[in-house]
Amino acid sequence: MTVTAGTAQGPRPEGETPPRRARVAPAGGRPVPQGRGGSVTGGPGPGLRLRRQAGAARAALRRRFWATVPARLRLLRAATVLLATAVAMLLTVAGLAANGTWDSVADRDAPRTTSAADLGLALNDMDAQAANILLSSGDAGKGRLRTPYTKAVGFYGDARREISHDLRTLAVAAQGDRSDEKTVEHLTDDFAEYQELIGRALENDGHSGGKPAALADYRRATDLLRSRLLPAASTLVSSNDAAFDAEYSSAHSALDAQQYALLSLGVLLLAALGVLQWYLARSFRRILNPGVLAATVCTLLAVILGAQALSTSADHLRVARHDAFDSVVALSRARALAYDANADESRYLLDAQRREQYAESFLAKSQKLYGIRGATLDTYDAGLATTWQAYETDHHDLRFTGEFRRELDNITFPGERAAAEKTVRTYAVYQRDDRKIRALVAAGKEREATEFCMDWQPGTSNARFGTWMAALDQVAGINRAHFDASVRAGRSVVNGLLPWAGVLLLAAVILTGLGLRPRLAEFG
């Protein structure tokens, strides 16, 4: 058998390394490197080259930014500056947003809600005074009740001017809200029609024997008021109050989020300063760097001041919206209902054909003010006395409802409870006077009932209504004063603390640089 050299091999001893295969040289005599798996290639593959370049880049970055002591110091200084800048920017944004919120609350949200409530009150007052004019004018001036007539004319003019002012305020506030814009437009048109009807009623009343025609015009006017004007005003109160509440919720959530972000960034900044202090102590055999230590103190104070400003602003916002303004809205509604109920008494005396209707309307408004389940005009006074006595024994007793209940459940400020309870007690006196008016009418003493209802002498119904309104205004005044105080305090804490926090952050950056300068100078 023929043996060919290089093709047949005997068994290789155990552990012996096989010989390497010789590289194949091209014609020029230069060997070509082999790729993986023995393939012949012209150089390293693209993937290998990219990995080598990336590794070289990482090595260069490491040498530049971390491999040496100066590089590490500069990197930590840069991290400190960036974090301090981020905290400063956050505080700036939060401060601008908080000031914008306070401007919106004080100059838009609260005024347009109270203007809507004042509009309802003024509409009721104007209608009540129109009825009082017709009641007290006599027949073309004959038999006129002079004091009630003069006061009714004056109050009528005041209410008309107040309505015009409120409509202008609401028109400006409604811009951008198509629904509210349409409501104000309809209110303005309906009020013009209402004024025309009242004007005709008063003109007819000035003629001898003109009372029936005046009464017909007044009926049309008060029907327009009750069916369109008052519901539209109530809708504006609800929509504007809801918009205010939405603004409050959004602003309060934003303040909470900003406070959380501030604390997070503040912790990172303090951590960066702590790492820098540790590295300086480890590298230069010194316990503390005075510049970095001072920067840490400034940073801590800045974070504390910023967090306090945001937290306190959120607290003042809550007090303004819920503790104070919720009561303002409830009391504004109560005042509008009170004037409407008082107008129902005048309508009851003026229009004999509608007495039952106006009596039911008076009771319905009384229930909205101080609700007693199942009460009628005959049982209302006894129910009021019983439930009020129970409340005085236990302030959590829930046997009555209404706007007074809303206020009594939201007692917050010094003197507010005493003023609110005085309001309910004066309301109870006014209610008892109403029964006297109806008893005089039932006895056929309509002239006496009219004089008692409209006179302003002590002990008469109008005088006691004035006492009730004065007590109601006192409670509202307490809440308005605290609302205004919360707005001022909220603005003050933002404008007073946040600039100082910014100054402290700037000082922290400067002190960090000054503390590192001598150490970096040692490396040339």
Side-chain angles (χ1 to χ4, degrees):
M1 180 177 64
T2 306
V3 178
T4 305
T7 59
Q9 299 179 4
R12 188 176 295 114
E14 184 177 353
E16 182 180 338
T17 303
R20 292 178 179 242
R21 295 179 65 184
R23 292 187 179 181
V24 179
R30 193 173 180 179
V32 178
Q34 291 178 320
R36 289 186 180 179
S39 64
V40 179
T41 64
L48 180 60
R49 285 198 300 271
L50 288 175
R51 285 194 297 274
R52 289 175 177 174
Q53 291 171 0
R58 284 195 298 270
L61 289 173
R62 185 174 181 277
R63 286 193 301 273
R64 181 173 181 181
F65 294 109
W66 189 251
T68 64
V69 171
R72 295 186 187 113
L73 293 178
R74 292 189 185 99
L75 183 61
L76 289 170
R77 181 180 63 185
T80 301
V81 171
L82 287 174
L83 286 169
T85 303
V87 173
M89 290 179 64
L90 174 63
L91 291 177
T92 300
V93 171
L96 293 173
N99 275 324
T101 296
W102 287 117
D103 290 343
S104 177
V105 165
D107 302 332
R108 187 190 67 185
D109 296 329
R112 70 182 186 180
T113 304
T114 54
S115 291
D118 291 344
L119 174 63
L121 185 152
L123 286 167
N124 285 320
D125 192 26
M126 183 176 173
D127 198 66
Q129 300 310 326
N132 288 339
I133 291 171
L134 296 175
L135 267 173
S136 60
S137 63
D139 184 7
K142 295 178 183 178
R144 174 174 294 171
L145 302 175
R146 296 200 175 275
T147 299
Y149 178 83
T150 302
K151 283 187 173 290
V153 170
F155 292 148
Y156 175 86
D158 292 342
R160 184 171 60 180
R161 286 187 289 274
E162 177 65 25
I163 293 168
S164 298
H165 174 267
D166 290 337
L167 285 173
R168 289 194 297 271
T169 301
L170 290 168
V172 173
Q175 291 178 359
D177 187 326
R178 187 56 191 154
S179 177
D180 282 357
E181 286 179 351
K182 291 181 68 174
T183 301
V184 174
E185 287 172 7
H186 292 157
L187 263 171
T188 304
D189 294 339
D190 290 341
F191 180 61
E193 182 180 350
Y194 173 82
Q195 286 189 96
E196 183 180 351
L197 290 169
I198 291 293
R200 284 196 344 222
L202 297 179
E203 182 181 358
N204 287 330
D205 189 56
H207 302 146
S208 180
K211 193 71 73 177
L215 181 57
D217 288 327
Y218 177 76
R219 282 177 181 167
R220 293 176 60 194
T222 196
D223 287 345
L224 173 63
L225 174 82
R226 296 156 72 87
S227 64
R228 284 150 59 181
L229 286 167
L230 291 179
S234 179
T235 297
L236 283 176
V237 173
S238 298
S239 65
N240 287 326
D241 191 43
F244 186 4
D245 203 46
E247 176 80 13
Y248 159 79
S249 297
S250 176
H252 202 279
S253 297
L255 284 169
D256 288 343
Q258 288 160 356
Q259 189 175 355
Y260 177 78
L262 171 63
L263 293 175
S264 299
L265 287 174
V267 168
L268 289 175
L269 178 54
L270 290 170
L273 288 167
V275 170
L276 180 57
Q277 186 72 263
W278 169 81
Y279 186 73
L280 287 170
R282 179 173 175 273
S283 300
F284 295 92
R285 304 292 190 273
R286 295 180 182 177
I287 298 176
L288 291 174
N289 182 287
V292 177
L293 178 61
T296 304
V297 172
C298 289
T299 299
L300 181 61
L301 290 175
V303 172
I304 291 173
L305 288 179
Q308 182 181 357
L310 298 179
S311 175
T312 306
S313 185
D315 288 342
H316 285 308
L317 186 60
R318 178 189 53 77
V319 171
R321 167 63 237 196
H322 287 306
D323 293 348
F325 200 75
D326 279 356
S327 291
V328 170
V329 173
L331 294 167
S332 296
R333 285 175 170 148
R335 205 167 191 270
L337 286 168
Y339 272 79
D340 199 7
N342 196 46
D344 277 334
E345 286 185 332
S346 298
R347 297 169 188 139
Y348 175 87
L349 292 169
L350 177 66
D351 193 345
Q353 294 181 14
R354 292 188 172 187
R355 277 180 180 166
E356 184 176 351
Q357 173 186 332
Y358 290 137
E360 291 175 356
S361 178
F362 180 90
L363 176 61
K365 294 176 180 68
S366 299
Q367 292 280 37
K368 289 180 180 179
L369 288 166
Y370 189 107
I372 305 169
R373 181 177 298 178
T376 65
L377 282 176
D378 293 332
T379 63
Y380 188 86
D381 292 343
L384 194 157
T386 300
T387 56
W388 185 247
Q389 184 178 6
Y391 168 80
E392 288 183 317
T393 303
D394 178 10
H395 289 161
H396 298 288
D397 189 284
L398 299 176
R399 276 183 272 180
F400 68 93
T401 58
E403 299 298 339
F404 286 142
R405 182 80 222 187
R406 287 183 61 189
E407 163 55 18
L408 289 166
D409 285 342
N410 194 40
I411 298 296
T412 309
F413 308 114
E416 185 180 2
R417 183 176 297 280
E421 291 177 354
K422 179 182 177 182
T423 301
V424 178
R425 286 192 287 269
T426 56
Y427 167 76
V429 174
Y430 171 78
Q431 283 287 335
R432 291 195 291 271
D433 284 347
D434 174 79
R435 309 307 174 259
K436 181 176 180 179
I437 293 170
R438 298 179 199 282
L440 288 170
V441 171
K445 301 177 181 179
E446 293 194 17
R447 174 90 179 178
E448 292 181 34
T450 300
E451 291 176 347
F452 179 74
C453 177
M454 298 187 59
D455 205 346
W456 288 89
Q457 294 298 318
T460 60
S461 179
N462 257 351
R464 285 171 172 158
F465 179 77
T467 302
W468 173 29
M469 289 300 97
L472 188 66
D473 289 344
Q474 183 182 1
V475 188
I478 291 171
N479 284 279
R480 286 179 186 273
H482 282 277
F483 174 82
D484 293 338
S486 294
V487 171
R488 289 194 300 271
R491 282 174 167 161
S492 176
V493 73
V494 170
N495 295 327
L497 295 182
L498 290 186
W500 280 109
V503 170
L504 287 168
L505 288 170
L506 178 61
V509 171
I510 294 173
L511 288 168
T512 300
L514 293 176
L516 291 179
R517 177 181 292 179
R519 305 287 76 80
L520 291 172
E522 294 177 11
F523 296 91

